[in-house]
């Protein structure tokens, strides 16, 4: 039977980047998932948690559990929001088996494709030089790829998936996995440093020849795309799910 | 008190300089990567180091007692200081007893923490920092901006200018070799004229009562062997249980710090030389309080390698002084609020939570998680600015009411695209200063789903 997937679409993707949600849905359905989008979901509470306002997160965490507990899997096109649910909800649930179960079945989109559905190749064609931005939360909280600081066997299933698409050439960066400087409220509270970080990331991609900049997180891309558009750089920005959906 | 964002903005304004600073430190981080790659068991070493330190911190009172007993048996005078004031008084007392007026010091962040230099100078004692970088910032009358490269923020042209003024080198000279030689000659005079040597401590060994000082310039050796009086100042967390543990840390320290396999000099001190005197001052200064906290205890594992600074994208672009703390960077932002949460309340927010510091740290301190915990602590203590608190509260309310959330989103998508640019991009919109806002789509994902999917 097809797995019943609860689609978790972060609030800012819902409001600002519907095409990312659509691409995620399309890809999951293409691979045989029975996808449902629970209407009453809003936000995982990450902005509040990252500002220290953890008391404002509790009710959202409980809502989240209620909304998503009945699915076989919860899938989300944002590593950062997944990491919030998996790693930062503990304090709101003591000995709650439903939450423990939720933790185990909540996945970032690419992680779900590779680790759960076992997909390692995408058909189709996308003849572009693609720059993959390794979003920090996916990288160092969810361990979705190997971080450059650690001495471990290099791995990176999302990158491998991208490379499996005909015509894709993933560009090589000088600093493979440095932070883009988004960091949630950091982007506003530390505007100057945040923008310099973003600019540096963008120019690393520019020098590497990136034509299409992609990531597992739309939030990092929102930040870098803001800089790219202000500076009118010739780089297109797409969430990884959009590339996948285009090459199905 | 200017908070981090303000000073960081100042630093970033000079783009060329900020880039230069970022690149110099990234170069060190790359050397660290290469050095750690040489050691297949790197992650194992980190794990071991972390375990040893955690054990030490949770057995601190017993181990310190062992250290005192064993050091005393070797003829070392051991002193205990509760805070910076006591520390400085003890050091001054020892110097006074020996009628010392000139001291050479080899780099010690602990004495920076206690502001020992100005204290001794006020009491008529000349203190010369003998580490080259440290000497440069001392000549500038400034504190270090980095843990192991105290003058990393200063360009060689500026050093030439400073040396010309203070040491009489040729005007306009920038050749590092020439300038280093000038500093060496100047320091040599100071070494010869000094009557006592002060050093920091990198590792003190409970089992033997000895301690180890790591330098690249050999200045700790020179300062202590030329003099009959050696005072070593250490934080109580610098302890390790056994001599055997030392190898783990010596392998990690220099590789993490500068990418060297080991520091040029790792000087072992096990008791005074004949007819000489050796003192160790053990400083608490808030450390036992941190060791009692489940959340922050692990920050005492720190061996001050500074790898977290070199990797931190914020430190690299905002400079050490933007933290206004003796220890800057990720570890400084973790330790400083323990001292004064109000003064340092902006530091835990000077972080994009990228987590690189946690992965680079040789003793596996979960730095970015500690910073996140500090943010919570700052809110609990009522130190979060009202604007942040209220906006998060309002967002929380909205997100608990899906219909309100949908309504607000719909309104924004209807209104924002129609607004003239000056209403969207003004000084109240920090996002829009250097970035475009995203295009607001006609419909949300939810609306699309309703129309195109759910009724299929
Ligand atoms: S926290 Fe870790 S990385 Fe930073 S200085 Fe201390 S030991 Fe080094």
């Amino acid at each position: 039977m097809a797995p019943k997937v609860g689609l978790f679409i972060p609030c800012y993707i819902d409001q600002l980047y519907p095409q990312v949600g659509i691409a995620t849905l399309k890809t999951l359905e293409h691979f045989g998932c029975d996808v449902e989008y629970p209407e009453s979901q809003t936000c995982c509470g990450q902005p509040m948690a990252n500002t220290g306002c953890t008391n404002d997160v509790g009710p959202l965490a409980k809502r989240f559990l209620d909304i998503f507990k009945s699915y076989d899997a919860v899938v989300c096109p944002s590593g950062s929001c997944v990491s919030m649910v998996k790693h930062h909800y503990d304090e709101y649930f003591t000995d709650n088996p439903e939450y423990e179960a939720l933790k185990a079945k909540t996945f970032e989109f690419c992680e779900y494709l590779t680790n759960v559905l076992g997909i390692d190749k995408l058909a189709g064609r996308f003849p572009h030089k693609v720059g993959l931005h390794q979003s920090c939360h996916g990288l160092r909280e969810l361990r979705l790829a190997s971080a450059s600081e650690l001495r471990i066997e290099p791995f990176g299933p999302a990158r491998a998936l991208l490379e499996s698409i005909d015509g894709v050439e993933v560009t090589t960066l000088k600093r493979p996995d440095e932070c883009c400087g988004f960091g949630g409220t950091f982007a506003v509270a530390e505007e100057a440093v945040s923008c310099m970080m973003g600019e540096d990331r963008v120019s690393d991609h520019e020098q590497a020849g990136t034509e299409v900049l992609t990531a597992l997180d739309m939030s990092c891309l929102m930040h870098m795309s803001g800089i790219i558009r202000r500076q009118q750089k010739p780089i297109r920005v797409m969430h990884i799910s959009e590339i996948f959906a285009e090459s199905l | 008190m200017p908070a981090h964002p303000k000073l960081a903005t100042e630093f970033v304004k000079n783009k060329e300089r900020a880039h230069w600073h970022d690149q110099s430190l990234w170069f060190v981080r790359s050397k660290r990567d290469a050095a750690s790659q040489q050691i297949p068991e790197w992650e194992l070493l980190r794990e071991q180091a972390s375990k040893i330190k955690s054990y030490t911190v949770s057995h601190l009172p017993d181990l310190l007692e062992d250290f005192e007993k064993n050091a005393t048996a070797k003829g070392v005078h051991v002193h205990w200081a509760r805070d910076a004031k006591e520390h400085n008084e003890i050091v001054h007392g020892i110097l006074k007893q020996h009628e010392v007026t000139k001291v050479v010091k080899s780099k010690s962040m602990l004495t920076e923490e206690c502001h020992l230099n100005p204290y001794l100078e006020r009491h008529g004692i000349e203190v010369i920092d003998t580490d080259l970088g440290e000497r440069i910032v001392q000549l500038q009358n400034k504190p270090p901006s980095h843990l192991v490269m105290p003058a990393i923020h200063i360009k060689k042209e500026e050093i030439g200018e400073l040396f010309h003024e203070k040491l009489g080198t040729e005007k306009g000279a920038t050749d590092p070799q020439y300038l280093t030689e000038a500093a060496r000659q100047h320091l040599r005079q100071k070494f010869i004229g000094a009557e006592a040597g002060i050093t920091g401590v990198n590792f003190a060994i409970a089992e033997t009562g000895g301690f180890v000082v790591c330098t690249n310039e050999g200045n700790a050796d020179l300062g202590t062997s030329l003099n009959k009086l050696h005072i070593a100042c250490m934080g109580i967390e610098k302890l390790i249980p056994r001599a055997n543990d030392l190898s783990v840390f010596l392998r990690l320290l220099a590789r993490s710090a500068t990418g060297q396999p080991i520091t040029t000099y790792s000087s072992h001190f096990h008791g005074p030389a004949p007819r000489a005197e050796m003192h160790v001052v053990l400083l608490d200064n808030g450390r036992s309080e941190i060791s009692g906290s489940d959340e922050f205890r692990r920050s005492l594992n720190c061996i001050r390698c500074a790898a977290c600074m070199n990797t931190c994208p914020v430190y690299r672009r905002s400079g050490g002084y933007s933290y206004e703390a003796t220890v800057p960077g990720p570890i400084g932002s973790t330790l400083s609020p323990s001292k004064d949460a109000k003064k340092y309340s902006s530091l835990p927010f000077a972080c994009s939570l990228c987590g690189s510091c946690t992965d680079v740290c040789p003793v596996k301190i979960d730095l970015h998680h500690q910073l996140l915990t500090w943010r919570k602590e700052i809110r609990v203590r009522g130190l979060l600015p009202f604007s942040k608190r209220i906006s998060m509260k309002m967002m929380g309310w909205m997100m608990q009411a899906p219909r309100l959330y949908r309504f607000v989103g719909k309104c924004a998508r209807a209104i924002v695209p129609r607004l003239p640019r000056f209403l969207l991009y003004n000084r109240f919109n920090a996002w829009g200063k250097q970035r475009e806002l995203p295009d607001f789509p006609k419909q949300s994902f939810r609306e699309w789903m309703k129309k195109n999917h759910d009724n299929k």
Side-chain angles (χ1 to χ4, degrees), chain A residues 14-15 29 39 41-42 50 54 56 140-141 143 148-149 151 178 187 190-191 200 223 226 230, chain B residues 4 29 36 43 316-317 354 356 359 368-369 375 393 399 405 432-433 435-436 445-446 453:
Chain A
D14 172 37
Q15 293 296 334
E29 286 186 335
E39 256 280 296
Q41 62 176 296
T42 54
N50 283 0
T54 41
D56 298 318
R140 300 197 188 89
E141 294 267 330
R143 301 286 177 209
S148 59
E149 296 87 8
R151 294 288 73 86
E178 181 156 53
E190 290 266 3
E191 189 266 343
D200 289 352
H223 166 64
R230 175 64 60 89
Chain B
H4 187 273
R29 149 90 209 259
S36 67
E43 297 304 328
R316 275 190 262 118
R317 290 175 182 80
C354 76
S356 180
D359 277 356
H368 73 294
H369 289 145
R375 294 181 182 189
K393 187 117 248 119
M399 294 308 183
Y405 156 76
K433 242 176 111 180
R435 286 167 291 216
E436 289 297 298
F445 175 68
R446 183 181 318 259
H453 192 265

Side-chain angles (χ1 to χ4, degrees), chain B residues 302-308 331 361-363 365 367:
Chain B
C302 176
I303 57 172
R304 302 289 193 268
C305 71
C308 57
I331 182 66
C361 178
V363 285
I365 303 175
L367 288 158

